[in-house]
């Protein structure tokens, strides 16, 4: 999160300022600890606020209907089946697609299969995924 990085930078800057403002090490250390606790509390509140926003925007998974759960769970398999089917059709009917379209479908299928099985499994099949030997 960009906000958390900014908080960390402000914390470092504030620590340096506190060293200048409180030359007494005990007071400076106490002020740093207090400031660190406040920053930690702010970070927890920001995280909780973001989580509440996501739940309000998307809803709880427990409250979704069976239809919505099935739709959410079927997006990736349907996309994979569609890509494989289009490529298979183009392979069986070469006049249907241009060579550029077949190359694009092949690459999309590699991406899809790489997602499901990982790059290592595809390389074991003998597919060179752009790596130089």
């Amino acid at each position: 999160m960009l906000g958390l990085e900014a908080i960390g930078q402000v914390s470092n800057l504030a620590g340096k300022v506190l060293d200048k403002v409180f030359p007494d090490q005990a007071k400076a250390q106490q002020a740093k600890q207090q400031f660190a606790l406040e920053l930690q509390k702010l970070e927890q509140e920001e995280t909780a606020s973001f989580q509440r926003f996501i739940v309000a925007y998307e809803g709880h998974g427990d409250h979704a209907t069976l239809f919505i759960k099935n739709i959410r769970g079927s997006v990736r398999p349907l996309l994979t089946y569609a890509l494989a089917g289009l490529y298979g059709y183009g392979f069986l009917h070469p006049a249907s697609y241009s060579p550029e379209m077949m190359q694009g479908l092949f690459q999309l299928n590699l991406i899809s299969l790489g997602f499901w099985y990982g790059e290592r499994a595809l390389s074991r099949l003998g597919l060179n995924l752009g790596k130089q030997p």
Side-chain angles (χ1 to χ4, degrees), residues 41-77:
K41 185 189 285 187
L42 179 64
E43 182 181 343
Q44 290 172 350
E45 289 173 4
E46 183 177 326
T47 301
S49 173
F50 182 70
Q51 289 172 346
R52 283 191 302 272
F53 167 75
I54 293 297
V55 168
Y57 182 72
E58 291 188 359
H60 267 287
D62 299 342
H63 298 116
T65 64
L66 183 60
F67 177 74
I68 295 297
K69 288 179 184 179
N70 287 335
I71 292 292
R72 283 183 177 176
S74 65
V75 170
R76 290 184 215 146

Side-chain angles (χ1 to χ4, degrees), residues 12 16 26 37 40 43 56 74 114 124 126 131:
N12 291 338
K16 292 176 184 176
L37 287 174
Q40 186 178 16
E43 182 181 343
S74 65
R124 286 182 184 165
K131 291 187 176 182

Side-chain angles (χ1 to χ4, degrees), residues 111-128:
I111 292 170
S112 176
L113 292 172
F115 171 79
W116 286 112
Y117 300 107
E119 180 183 350
R120 185 179 298 169
L122 292 178
S123 63
R124 286 182 184 165
L125 289 173
L127 298 173
N128 185 1

